[in-house]
Amino acid sequence: MNRAQSGKLALAAGALALGLATMTGCGYINPQQTTHQYASSDGIRADLGPLQLRNMMIVSAGEDKPGRLIGAVYNSSSQDVNLTVNGAAGSQTQVPVKANSYTLLNDSTDEAILSTSGAIPGSLVDIKVTEDGTNVTKTVRMPVLDATLAEYKAYLPAGSEPTESASPTPSPSESAAGAAH
């Protein structure tokens, strides 16, 4: 191998080393997004002793109307536990969760209803959650949603009617009068 060939080989090796250093340097400086856990949907996530609450939210037609708790509750313990949810104005519901199992509150058979949601849809409300296996209690800020999104309409508590929007829509005669000017 002559000097020109060895020089080219050294140059190629240097470029390869520089490329590898650049690629790994970005990963060193910027944390990987896959290592950060977050609630990727409309609901929240929280851990409570052996219970893991996932995508939890309240669906309600208004602040003083009943609210339905939806989401999933996973129990990693070897005993059955109850999740107690205390909301606004003394509202309360209880969710039984079997040992090493889960309860989906989206099922029609497992409705968890609070007598009042405690907040207008689109806001967060403080909810106290307790599990009776280890008596762990935590306060979480849970979102209140309404039937604005069609996928939540089926979860409105029975007898709830969505609240009308605060801004009135113009009648056809008002729209025509405005166009005449």
Side-chain angles (χ1 to χ4, degrees):
M1 184 182 317
N2 65 23
R3 289 187 112 193
Q5 289 177 332
S6 65
K8 287 180 183 179
L9 183 61
L11 185 61
L16 180 63
L18 180 63
L20 287 175
T22 302
M23 288 191 309
T24 58
C26 292
Y28 178 74
I29 296 169
N30 299 322
Q32 293 180 356
Q33 189 62 31
T34 56
T35 61
H36 177 69
Q37 294 184 5
Y38 63 96
S40 61
S41 187
D42 295 329
I44 62 154
R45 57 179 282 138
D47 294 329
L48 187 68
L51 295 182
Q52 295 143 10
L53 313 177
R54 298 297 183 257
N55 199 27
M56 300 296 287
M57 67 186 83
I58 299 169
V59 179
S60 177
E63 182 175 8
D64 297 325
K65 305 238 177 167
R68 179 174 177 186
L69 189 68
I70 64 171
V73 183
Y74 297 89
N75 179 4
S76 63
S77 74
S78 59
Q79 64 178 350
D80 295 353
V81 296
N82 287 313
L83 171 69
T84 303
V85 179
N86 293 297
S91 62
Q92 180 178 339
T93 189
Q94 204 166 54
V95 178
V97 188
K98 298 278 185 203
N100 294 310
S101 186
Y102 61 90
T103 298
L104 295 176
L105 297 172
N106 306 7
D107 291 341
S108 60
T109 57
D110 291 320
E111 289 190 16
I113 306 292
L114 294 167
S115 60
T116 180
S117 66
I120 61 170
S123 62
L124 298 171
V125 63
D126 287 335
I127 300 291
K128 186 171 103 175
V129 289
T130 306
E131 66 84 23
D132 68 355
T134 56
N135 291 322
V136 175
T137 299
K138 187 179 209 176
T139 300
V140 295
R141 294 187 55 82
M142 198 170 292
V144 178
L145 301 173
D146 60 10
T148 301
L149 296 174
E151 58 266 26
Y152 297 128
K153 187 173 186 172
Y155 299 115
L156 281 173
S160 293
E161 294 299 320
T163 308
E164 294 298 319
S165 69
S167 59
T169 55
S171 67
S173 61
E174 289 174 349
S175 297
H181 290 233

